[in-house]
Amino acid sequence: FWDKVGASADQRSLDWVACGGASNGDFSPAIGRVKEEMRPEEHDFNAAHKRLQERLKHCMREKGYEYMGVKSNATVPQRSTD
């Protein structure tokens, strides 16, 4: 997840979308957007998708955010002492 001192969750979401992320918090550009990004010599979506992802990262950093890694809401299972 991305963090910025003083940024609310709502502001982070708005910045994420402004940088090219999806409103649900994912990064899944539409196929049409990836196709637009493809260069003539490219035969699959991988390089174009990677460029879009790098632009999103650059944009978030430009807005003052720092990537903090994957955020998990899962709790670590505890071993039973019984």
Side-chain angles (χ1 to χ4, degrees):
F1 73 102
W2 293 86
D3 192 32
K4 177 180 172 180
V5 175
S8 68
D10 287 342
Q11 183 60 54
R12 184 173 48 246
S13 181
L14 289 170
D15 288 337
W16 175 259
V17 171
C19 286
S23 60
N24 67 357
D26 287 344
F27 176 70
S28 300
I31 289 293
R33 178 68 188 103
V34 178
K35 284 182 178 180
E36 289 172 3
E37 180 64 28
M38 285 181 71
R39 296 177 181 161
E41 70 276 7
E42 293 174 340
H43 301 290
D44 62 38
F45 295 141
N46 293 335
H49 188 274
K50 181 73 173 171
R51 279 194 302 280
L52 291 171
Q53 188 176 40
E54 290 302 316
R55 281 192 199 136
L56 179 135
K57 290 177 187 178
H58 180 76
C59 179
M60 290 296 283
R61 287 185 186 112
E62 286 288 311
K63 290 179 178 288
Y65 289 88
E66 181 180 354
Y67 184 68
M68 306 302 287
V70 177
K71 186 175 184 178
S72 174
N73 291 331
T75 58
V76 176
Q78 298 295 314
R79 189 171 172 193
S80 175
T81 57
D82 293 334

